Amino acid sequence: MKQLARYLPILDWGRSYSRDTATDDLIAALIVTIMLIPQSLAYALLAGLPPEIGLYASILPLVAYAIFGTSRALAVGPVAVVSLMTASAVGNLAAQGTAEYLGAAIALAFLSGLMLLAMGIFRLGFLANLLSHPVISGFITASGLIIAASQLKHLLGVSASGHNLFEILVALVRALPDINPYTLAVGIPATAFLFWVRKGLKPALVGIGLGPRLADILAKAGPVAAVAVTTLAAVTFSLGDKGVRLIGDIPTGLPMPTLPPFSLDLWTQLAIPALLISVIGFVESVSVAQTLAAKRRQRIVPDQELIGLGASNIASAISGGYPVTGGFARSVVNFDAGARTPAAGAFTAVGIALATVFLTPLLANLPQATLAATIIVAVLSLVDLKALRQVWAYSKSDFAAMAGTILVTLGFGVETGVVTGVGVSIALYLYRNSRPHMAIVGIVPGTEHFRNIKRHAVVTGDSVLSVRVDESLFFANSRYLEDRLLEFVAERPKLQHVVLMCPAVNEIDASALESLEEINRRLSDSSVTFHLSEVKGPVMDRLEGTEFLRHLTGKVFLTQYEAIATLDPETAHLAEARTPRKQTQSGYWIGPQI
């Protein structure tokens, strides 16, 4: 039963489901449904799809995640970044508005779902760690700017397109003479109203005497109010006859089950975009889920999240939708509204289904400018230019990766940007791990602790060199270890022993083992004995199965202090005799370096 519950988390939380929990979930579902209806329509248009596809992608995927997902608050559905990536991927294969375009979007969701499922079954969630947070932040920031710029044409009532920010802005400038004043009269006030709703409506409602909970619900309904008012205005003033683009007729009823087109050529062309969407969607989703889970001292299982998101995407494809993932804004709303279990997502799916059946005829006269305003307000909250300054102050290499991802995404498009981000993340990882931090250490007077000679006042001797390596040893850094260690030895003609401290070494691969053997041989040729200290148990177990320990010229010591006491008792005695000066808050010893 426990094994089955691992793949079906609903069996875990479902056993203790109560009436009070159901009430909280229903209230949260009502709030999220109100928020999700205009967002689903808007994101479908952003993906280049008919608006009803956004509603279809917000029904079965939520049910699938409620069954397979582990987060109690994550709300799955169409999101801005994945919608943009979908438009970028499918737009290269078919023209918008065609059956081929919709079929490719459905195939993209299905293929992404299969990839996520496979990654979850084989527990490959760790692969997402190859994307650094600065790179993800840079990609989302750049995507938010592109999305916002791409929606300006709907606010202005002009035709303008492009695959990157430069092309979009150039097209908008050229289209300025064709601005439709009626569209502008709808789009600008709607955008201003939605910006105000995000920050100002709730305090205003509380100020007139409403309770915080009711004020919060009404504030979340702001986009629905914008939809209702602008739709009424479009009908009253016949804005459609004056050039204002309307949503048009939306099919009524639930989607019929469908299958994606099984074309080897299509799937081959969609493979890389599907993988990128899977990874980006998973990283975004898990980061949100972990943040919300920590607030309630809950936990999520990343590998099971892969299965939950994979099932959601397959469900989206089967119901005629496109790729989905956990959304930041709606998940926070779901959490703040009091969602207790994933059942809140299933209740939201019921609400969306009812809206699809009964409300779609009322949306035919909804101006596209209103949905564009909804998207612009939502995605600009994802733009975090302040992070550039913070990352610059902390790490120049991370800043270079973040800024590079932003510039490439803005200049060359979404797919190129995310591929660049993945490449930069892997390159940074390999670069940092190929040059592990190595420190010559000495004993802190009056203690058995060893610290970096460049940071602390410590005692060292001429006959023993103690070197601490602060990284696991593998193929990428084994040669650096070898060269650096031999460089230290060459600078000390009186040296008799080298002790390599390994408290941070969690693994030694075959390449690093060969380097250790070479270090041992070359030190032996120089009449220097090679020792190890503080080797972890699992690492020692593997070394004991090799010839290395049999050929090692020195010993493996349990502690570094034991090594110094054995190899250089005079230095150990000198350190014991000295009383350390007062230590500062920063951890540095006051007084001259020894």
Side-chain angles (χ1 to χ4, degrees):
M1 187 67 176
K2 289 184 177 180
Q3 186 66 18
L4 184 60
R6 176 188 177 275
Y7 293 102
L8 292 172
I10 191 175
L11 298 178
D12 180 24
W13 58 263
R15 288 196 299 267
S16 58
Y17 202 71
S18 64
R19 180 178 298 178
D20 291 340
T21 303
T23 301
D24 290 339
D25 285 344
L26 281 167
I27 294 173
L30 174 63
I31 296 173
V32 175
T33 299
I34 292 172
M35 175 185 181
L36 197 54
I37 292 173
Q39 274 197 358
S40 298
L41 298 170
Y43 290 151
L45 293 177
L46 176 60
L49 296 164
E52 67 270 13
I53 302 302
L55 296 175
Y56 298 165
S58 302
I59 302 175
L60 283 186
L62 280 72
V63 177
Y65 185 82
I67 297 172
F68 296 100
T70 61
S71 172
R72 302 295 180 95
L74 190 71
V76 173
V79 299
V81 173
V82 170
S83 297
L84 179 63
M85 295 178 71
T86 298
S88 177
V90 179
N92 296 326
L93 305 178
Q96 290 189 13
T98 63
E100 290 76 15
Y101 190 96
L102 176 58
I106 293 173
L108 187 62
F110 193 80
L111 188 55
S112 177
L114 291 179
M115 289 180 175
L116 288 165
L117 273 180
M119 292 171 66
I121 291 172
F122 292 104
R123 302 189 178 187
L124 300 180
F126 69 91
L127 292 176
N129 296 332
L130 295 177
L131 277 173
S132 69
H133 182 268
V135 166
I136 288 291
S137 177
F139 172 73
I140 291 176
T141 291
S143 298
L145 292 173
I146 292 176
I147 292 169
S150 71
Q151 295 306 297
L152 291 177
K153 62 183 180 182
H154 296 301
L155 296 186
L156 303 176
V158 298
S159 296
S161 61
H163 294 90
N164 55 61
L165 185 63
F166 177 76
E167 292 179 358
I168 293 171
L169 293 179
V170 169
L172 286 171
V173 170
R174 291 175 177 172
L176 288 179
D178 302 324
I179 289 178
N180 185 302
Y182 298 99
T183 302
L184 199 63
V186 172
I188 298 302
T191 304
F193 171 74
L194 292 175
F195 270 119
W196 176 74
V197 161
R198 291 180 69 89
K199 299 292 185 180
L201 182 56
K202 182 178 178 180
L205 293 174
V206 172
I208 63 175
L210 292 183
R213 188 71 178 272
L214 179 58
D216 188 61
I217 294 174
L218 293 176
K220 297 298 188 299
V224 176
V227 167
V229 171
T230 55
T231 301
L232 181 62
V235 174
T236 303
F237 300 105
S238 302
L239 295 181
D241 297 332
K242 298 173 181 177
V244 176
R245 296 177 184 174
L246 307 177
I247 293 298
D249 292 331
I250 299 177
T252 300
L254 298 175
M256 296 297 294
T258 184
L259 289 175
F262 291 96
S263 166
L264 180 60
D265 181 59
L266 176 63
W267 282 42
T268 301
Q269 294 181 78
L270 291 177
I272 297 300
L275 179 61
L276 296 177
I277 286 174
S278 299
V279 173
I280 292 293
F282 172 64
V283 171
E284 181 181 357
S285 178
V286 166
S287 63
V288 174
Q290 288 176 332
T291 300
L292 297 179
K295 292 183 178 182
R296 291 181 180 168
R297 298 189 179 184
Q298 298 168 347
R299 63 183 294 268
I300 66 166
V301 182
D303 290 325
Q304 183 61 31
E305 283 298 291
L306 284 166
I307 294 176
L309 292 174
S312 297
N313 276 277
I314 291 176
S316 181
I318 292 174
S319 57
Y322 69 104
V324 297
T325 192
F328 174 77
R330 71 173 66 101
S331 296
V332 172
V333 169
N334 195 38
F335 179 88
D336 291 342
R340 301 274 296 277
T341 72
F347 294 148
T348 301
V350 174
I352 299 294
L354 292 174
T356 304
V357 173
F358 298 108
L359 299 183
T360 49
L362 303 177
L363 299 173
N365 291 300
L366 171 63
Q368 290 190 16
T370 305
L371 295 183
T374 302
I375 294 175
I376 290 173
V377 173
V379 300
L380 287 183
S381 66
L382 303 176
V383 175
D384 188 9
L385 296 178
K386 292 187 298 183
L388 280 168
R389 184 175 65 254
Q390 296 168 350
V391 174
W392 167 264
Y394 185 75
S395 170
K396 301 301 184 289
S397 60
D398 280 334
F399 172 81
M402 185 176 184
T405 302
I406 290 175
L407 292 176
V408 171
T409 303
L410 293 178
F412 297 95
V414 175
E415 287 190 10
T416 306
V418 71
V419 169
T420 300
V422 172
V424 170
S425 294
I426 295 175
L428 278 176
Y429 173 81
L430 292 176
Y431 174 76
R432 289 169 177 166
N433 286 277
S434 68
R435 300 173 62 85
H437 179 260
M438 296 175 61
I440 298 175
V441 298
I443 188 170
V444 177
T447 75
E448 296 184 2
H449 300 293
F450 287 78
R451 294 294 185 268
N452 190 336
I453 64 172
K454 294 182 178 180
R455 293 178 176 270
H456 299 267
V458 295
V459 177
T460 60
D462 293 331
S463 62
V464 178
L465 174 66
S466 301
V467 179
R468 188 188 70 225
V469 58
D470 297 327
E471 185 62 72
S472 292
L473 304 178
F474 67 117
F475 67 92
N477 61 27
S478 58
R479 180 57 60 88
Y480 178 83
L481 169 71
E482 185 178 336
D483 293 342
R484 193 84 174 110
L485 197 59
L486 295 175
E487 179 185 337
F488 290 154
V489 173
E491 297 171 350
R492 294 163 173 79
K494 297 181 180 181
L495 200 62
Q496 298 177 17
H497 303 278
V498 171
V499 183
L500 183 65
M501 288 182 64
C502 305
V505 177
N506 297 314
E507 185 177 3
I508 298 176
D509 74 356
S511 298
L513 180 62
E514 289 186 8
S515 288
L516 292 178
E517 292 172 342
E518 180 64 15
I519 291 170
N520 184 59
R521 184 188 65 78
R522 294 179 66 175
L523 290 179
S524 177
D525 292 343
S526 302
S527 300
V528 177
T529 307
F530 186 41
H531 309 267
L532 303 178
S533 73
E534 304 186 12
V535 181
K536 293 185 175 180
V539 177
M540 194 65 186
D541 291 341
R542 296 185 65 181
L543 290 179
E544 287 176 343
T546 69
E547 296 292 322
F548 171 70
L549 294 182
R550 298 181 181 88
H551 297 149
L552 184 65
T553 56
K555 299 179 180 179
V556 179
F557 293 95
L558 182 63
T559 67
Q560 182 64 19
Y561 183 79
E562 180 188 355
I564 294 299
T566 302
L567 303 174
D568 190 3
E570 182 178 347
T571 297
H573 178 71
L574 179 63
E576 290 177 359
R578 297 189 180 184
T579 302
R581 299 284 190 91
K582 184 179 179 181
Q583 195 174 16
T584 67
Q585 290 183 351
S586 63
Y588 290 86
W589 296 90
I590 300 175
Q593 296 291 311
I594 298 176

